[in-house]
């Protein structure tokens, strides 16, 4: 399983909730803490998943390019793969 940094947004949500609770009220602070935590978690996970997909595709492309280059070199030398 990959490492995720999405859980850190819960701390940020709680801190923002405290700030809002001090400035505007406890109920609004709780709403902000929950909303920031949930929305931030979803956004970060979506970003991490997209980056992981792109990295997998890049790895596949590099692997295919290396294979094709090796295949062409072997064909020039008269070998079969």
């Amino acid at each position: 399983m990959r490492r995720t940094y999405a859980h850190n947004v819960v701390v940020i949500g709680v801190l923002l909730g405290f700030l809002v609770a001090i400035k505007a009220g406890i109920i609004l602070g709780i709403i902000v803490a929950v909303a920031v935590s949930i929305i931030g978690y979803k956004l970060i996970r979506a970003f991490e998943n997209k980056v992981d997909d792109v990295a997998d595709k890049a790895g596949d492309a590099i692997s295919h390019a290396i294979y094709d280059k090796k295949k062409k070199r072997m064909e020039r030398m008269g070998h079969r793969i």
Side-chain angles (χ1 to χ4, degrees), residues 18-80:
F18 279 140
L19 183 65
V20 171
I22 291 170
K23 298 288 183 181
I26 293 174
I27 300 298
L28 197 57
I30 291 171
I31 292 170
V32 166
V34 171
V36 168
S37 296
I38 291 172
I39 293 169
Y41 183 87
K42 298 250 183 210
L43 287 173
I44 291 172
R45 285 299 293 159
F47 178 74
E48 288 176 341
N49 288 337
K50 188 57 72 174
V51 168
D52 189 50
D53 291 343
V54 168
D56 287 342
K57 288 180 183 178
D60 290 343
I62 291 169
S63 176
H64 289 299
I66 291 171
Y67 175 76
D68 290 342
K69 187 174 182 179
K70 181 179 177 182
K71 184 177 176 182
K72 286 180 184 178
R73 184 176 58 225
M74 294 299 273
E75 287 175 353
R76 271 187 300 195
M77 293 174 64
H79 294 42
R80 287 188 160 191

